[in-house]
mmCIF file of all heavy atoms in Angstrom:
data_model
loop_
_atom_site.group_PDB
_atom_site.id
_atom_site.type_symbol
_atom_site.label_atom_id
_atom_site.label_comp_id
_atom_site.label_asym_id
_atom_site.label_seq_id
_atom_site.Cartn_x
_atom_site.Cartn_y
_atom_site.Cartn_z
ATOM 1 N N CYS B 446 0.989 4.684 1.242
ATOM 2 C CA CYS B 446 1.518 3.362 1.522
ATOM 3 C C CYS B 446 2.993 3.302 1.149
ATOM 4 O O CYS B 446 3.845 3.083 1.994
ATOM 5 C CB CYS B 446 0.692 2.381 0.693
ATOM 6 S SG CYS B 446 1.055 0.680 0.997
ATOM 7 N N ARG B 604 5.296 0.517 7.184
ATOM 8 C CA ARG B 604 4.601 1.772 7.397
ATOM 9 C C ARG B 604 4.920 2.435 8.738
ATOM 10 O O ARG B 604 4.761 3.642 8.883
ATOM 11 C CB ARG B 604 3.087 1.582 7.256
ATOM 12 C CG ARG B 604 2.575 0.932 5.950
ATOM 13 C CD ARG B 604 3.135 1.492 4.678
ATOM 14 N NE ARG B 604 4.421 0.963 4.282
ATOM 15 C CZ ARG B 604 4.636 -0.237 3.724
ATOM 16 N NH1 ARG B 604 3.652 -1.035 3.473
ATOM 17 N NH2 ARG B 604 5.862 -0.619 3.392
ATOM 18 N N GLY B 641 2.594 -3.228 0.615
ATOM 19 C CA GLY B 641 1.364 -3.499 1.355
ATOM 20 C C GLY B 641 0.290 -4.215 0.595
ATOM 21 O O GLY B 641 -0.010 -5.392 0.827
ATOM 22 N N GLN B 642 -0.302 -3.534 -0.368
ATOM 23 C CA GLN B 642 -1.450 -4.094 -1.070
ATOM 24 C C GLN B 642 -0.996 -5.136 -2.090
ATOM 25 O O GLN B 642 0.170 -5.182 -2.474
ATOM 26 C CB GLN B 642 -2.205 -2.978 -1.785
ATOM 27 C CG GLN B 642 -2.710 -1.912 -0.838
ATOM 28 C CD GLN B 642 -3.286 -0.727 -1.587
ATOM 29 O OE1 GLN B 642 -4.465 -0.711 -1.926
ATOM 30 N NE2 GLN B 642 -2.482 0.264 -1.858
ATOM 31 N N ARG B 892 -2.581 -2.171 11.761
ATOM 32 C CA ARG B 892 -3.429 -3.269 11.320
ATOM 33 C C ARG B 892 -3.552 -4.397 12.339
ATOM 34 O O ARG B 892 -2.676 -4.577 13.178
ATOM 35 C CB ARG B 892 -2.819 -3.860 10.046
ATOM 36 C CG ARG B 892 -2.974 -2.929 8.900
ATOM 37 C CD ARG B 892 -1.779 -2.927 7.984
ATOM 38 N NE ARG B 892 -2.093 -2.083 6.847
ATOM 39 C CZ ARG B 892 -1.825 -0.784 6.805
ATOM 40 N NH1 ARG B 892 -1.180 -0.188 7.786
ATOM 41 N NH2 ARG B 892 -2.179 -0.072 5.755
ATOM 42 N N LEU B 898 -7.261 -3.162 5.508
ATOM 43 C CA LEU B 898 -7.438 -1.743 5.210
ATOM 44 C C LEU B 898 -8.750 -1.191 5.755
ATOM 45 O O LEU B 898 -9.014 -1.330 6.935
ATOM 46 C CB LEU B 898 -7.238 -1.516 3.713
ATOM 47 C CG LEU B 898 -5.806 -1.892 3.284
ATOM 48 C CD1 LEU B 898 -5.609 -1.766 1.790
ATOM 49 C CD2 LEU B 898 -4.774 -1.048 4.021
HETATM 50 MO MO1 MO C 70 -0.805 0.020 2.172
#
Side-chain angles (χ1 to χ4, degrees):
C446 186
R604 306 312 83 76
Q642 300 172 88
R892 289 143 175 91
L898 298 176

